Amino acid sequence: MLGVKAYNSFGMTEMNGPGVAFECQEQNGMHFWEDCYLVEIIDPETGEPVPEGEIGELVLTTLDREMMPLIRYRTRDLTRILPGKCPCGRTHIRIDRIKGRSDDMFIIKGVNIFPMQVEKILVQFPELGSNYLITLETVNNQDEMIVEVELSDLSTDNYIELEKIRKDITRQLKDEILVTPKVKLVKKGSLPQSEGKAVRVKDLRDNK
């Protein structure tokens, strides 16, 4: 609306604020200031480095800080190093936009899933509200994933229409996370509200 172009940046308080990585005019990943930080991407479970281009946890080491150096600081942020050179000509490595948090990840049926992936699908439906809950349960020795999501003020009481929306959500979630969840559409205000950071995942499995 203002006619300006917005650029993404990455930073954290532990690394002295936002001046850690920025998009260039190509907006094809964020260039890391490698003269200030050593960048690693590791498997959050094993701590081992992952191949370039694969998603893992971002680990940073400060190179020019004298008062409080940080060595192999685990950010819990999930991203990947983008292979190849940037058309802008800069040679600093680029990371992809943050995909989620390693401490938010859960595994079901051998698949790593992040709440952000579920939310990305849900926000595409105007009939849905912003509150949702993912519940993991063990049923007949099998892990099941239930996604409850509140309806918005734009929803309808038409059962046929709601069932169509539910099936569309289920299909799109399966395409995104490679697991078929059970989707339940619930009335607005029926899911518990959390103060502060919302709790999106409730793990009730026997083997958690």
Side-chain angles (χ1 to χ4, degrees):
M1 184 174 64
L2 297 176
V4 297
K5 193 171 185 179
Y7 291 85
N8 199 30
S9 65
F10 171 80
M12 56 180 57
T13 304
E14 297 88 340
M15 296 295 152
N16 288 349
V20 179
F22 292 91
E23 284 182 329
C24 64
Q25 67 269 27
E26 299 292 333
Q27 294 191 302
N28 184 22
M30 294 176 286
H31 291 275
F32 238 94
W33 298 150
E34 289 186 85
D35 48 343
C36 299
Y37 307 99
L38 175 66
V39 182
E40 300 174 80
I41 305 292
I42 67 169
D43 184 314
E45 297 295 325
T46 66
E48 295 297 318
V50 302
E52 185 177 275
E54 289 191 12
I55 293 177
E57 182 180 336
L58 177 66
V59 176
L60 299 176
T61 297
T62 59
L63 300 177
D64 62 350
R65 187 186 292 182
E66 297 180 1
M67 289 298 295
M68 194 183 77
L70 294 177
I71 300 175
R72 302 203 76 207
Y73 180 79
R74 295 187 63 167
T75 68
R76 303 296 180 186
D77 290 320
L78 295 166
T79 184
R80 65 189 180 109
I81 293 177
L82 296 175
K85 296 181 179 180
C86 182
C88 79
R90 291 178 177 85
T91 56
H92 285 184
I93 65 170
R94 295 167 296 140
I95 63 167
D96 207 348
R97 291 196 174 199
I98 304 301
K99 303 298 183 182
R101 302 266 307 165
S102 62
D103 44 8
D104 287 339
M105 183 186 78
F106 59 90
I107 301 174
I108 185 167
K109 298 181 179 178
V111 179
N112 297 344
I113 299 176
F114 304 95
M116 187 178 293
Q117 292 176 279
V118 175
E119 187 168 323
K120 181 176 78 171
I121 299 300
L122 298 181
V123 297
Q124 299 177 30
F125 292 83
E127 301 87 357
L128 303 180
S130 59
N131 202 14
Y132 68 93
L133 177 65
I134 301 169
T135 302
L136 307 175
E137 295 180 340
T138 302
V139 179
N140 297 326
N141 296 321
Q142 295 290 327
D143 287 346
E144 286 196 357
M145 174 179 171
I146 300 98
V147 178
E148 296 177 273
V149 56
E150 291 183 359
L151 294 166
S152 72
D153 294 328
L154 300 176
S155 62
T156 174
D157 292 331
N158 188 315
Y159 173 81
I160 296 177
E161 186 173 341
L162 288 177
E163 183 63 12
K164 180 180 181 300
I165 294 171
R166 190 191 66 79
K167 288 182 177 180
D168 286 344
I169 296 170
T170 303
R171 176 179 52 80
Q172 291 195 34
L173 284 175
K174 180 183 178 182
D175 292 342
E176 172 67 26
I177 63 177
L178 306 179
V179 172
T180 304
K182 289 185 177 180
V183 177
K184 297 181 180 180
L185 305 181
V186 300
K187 291 183 179 180
K188 183 178 180 180
S190 60
L191 291 178
Q193 298 286 338
S194 301
E195 295 184 6
K197 186 178 180 181
V199 177
R200 297 300 192 188
V201 181
K202 187 165 59 174
D203 196 340
L204 305 178
R205 291 177 292 180
D206 296 338
N207 60 344
K208 67 176 182 178

